[in-house]
Amino acid sequence: QVYKGLDIITNKVSPQEQRLCRHHMISFVDPLVSNYTVVDFRDKAVPLISYIFARDKIPIVVGGTNYYIESLLWKVLINTKEKPSSPPRLDGDRKVELEQLDSAELHRRLSQVDPEMAAKLHPHDKRKVARSLQVFEETGIPHSEILHQQQEEEGGGPLGGPLKYPHSCILWLHADQAALDARLEKRVDDMVAAGLLEELRDFHRRYNREKVAENRQDYQHGIFQSIGFKEFHEYLVSEGNCSPETSALLLEKGIQALKQVTKRYARRQNKWVRNRFLKRPGPNVPPVYGLEVSDLQRWEEDVLKPALEIVESFIQGRDPPAEPLRMEHDEKENKRRQRVCELCDRLIIGDREWAAHTRSKSHLHHLKKRRKLEASGHAGGTVGDSGDTETSEEDGSLPL
């Protein structure tokens, strides 16, 4: 929402609603800027928060992207800067440059300068690996060492350094999955009715058509990574160059893809709240209060009234009438343990992810296939001159 344009696809609050309450940090970044980062966001938002507090008002951070909210709550980001011996860079963002390298090469470089961080990151996670390399190149200090320093500060913890605003609280609006899915599908239909296609078509014509023609479109950075843009890529680039029937099919494909990716993103947001806020209790995690929004007919009773009571209690220094949410968590769970599934030829990071992988359809399919091959290999084995059992070539080629 920081980028100018694409107001429908980014679900920006309407101008009418913005007049009811002062909004900040909407539509102020040029859409052609591709290296706007969470650090830039934090550096602009923190002074605004201080300004609001100075006027004896309460800043309300609304999201959205929880990683950006974390950057305001905790000291978790790293201000990279060029080492004194390095000349200033004039040729763009170093992280974007690094992401152009092969995944294996990126991970190899990180392993050489920061083996601890390399062990925590999946080799295919280019963005995180590139960021850790950038941190080392621009500070001269391994990324993992800087994170340890933050966590060891007074008031620090697993999520990073100390809380910047100790009297914060989080209001988490959540809904029954079926109700949420239906609402998200309707939202996409409403976006189409509000002029989504015209907005995307205009933006593509002004900013992206030339890049597509030169095969240098980038849906990984800047406003082009917004959900909805790459989902309509085929429709936009083929419009006018195919039959009306084909165009209609590509349009419907884009709409369905947008609905799917929106629902997937909502699940990821909820998972983030559960894993980052609810399963990591401690003094440096603000209380999280759940507000049920499945039934919009009960907005007053289930959302507005309890939210006002919670916030008023915080302002007055009293305990809120509602209890913050808590979730059981396994103290022994290792979120960074690495395992290689040689059967599927995959690297899995985290105990929970490993458990999920071993139950997945793909893994069970490979397991069933291997057992069949093993059985056929034993049945067809022959006894050679030495008395050893020789298995078939197919069975012998299986991963150990």
Side-chain angles (χ1 to χ4, degrees), residues 9 200 219 224-236 250-251 253-259 261-262 264:
I9 198 67
L200 288 175
Y219 292 130
F224 294 101
Q225 66 184 315
S226 301
I227 288 178
F229 209 91
K230 53 184 172 290
E231 283 71 29
F232 287 95
H233 174 83
E234 283 187 89
Y235 171 74
L236 293 171
L250 291 176
L251 173 59
K253 180 182 176 182
I255 292 172
Q256 294 305 317
L258 177 56
K259 289 180 177 180
V261 76
T262 301
R264 197 179 305 132

Side-chain angles (χ1 to χ4, degrees), residues 22 24-25 43-53 55 59:
R22 186 172 180 185
H24 302 270
M25 300 191 67
D43 290 347
K44 185 173 179 65
V46 168
L48 276 171
I49 291 173
S50 300
Y51 168 68
I52 295 170
F53 275 133
R55 293 187 293 116

Side-chain angles (χ1 to χ4, degrees), residues 314-352:
F314 264 83
I315 294 172
Q316 296 167 7
R318 319 184 263 108
D319 289 334
E323 284 292 320
L325 297 174
R326 293 279 186 267
M327 288 188 74
E328 294 294 326
H329 66 288
D330 185 357
E331 296 282 356
K332 297 180 181 178
E333 180 187 350
N334 189 329
K335 296 180 181 293
R336 293 298 181 183
R337 194 195 312 274
Q338 293 193 4
R339 295 181 179 90
V340 176
C341 179
E342 296 183 344
L343 188 63
C344 303
D345 192 25
R346 285 188 60 189
L347 172 66
I348 311 296
I349 298 180
D351 291 348
R352 190 178 308 166

Side-chain angles (χ1 to χ4, degrees), residues 18 20 71 81-82 118 123 133 143 156 208 218 285 290 292 337:
Q18 289 191 43
L20 298 175
S71 75
K81 57 184 178 181
E82 301 288 345
L133 267 176
H143 193 177
N208 207 38
D218 180 8
V285 180
E292 175 65 47
R337 194 195 312 274

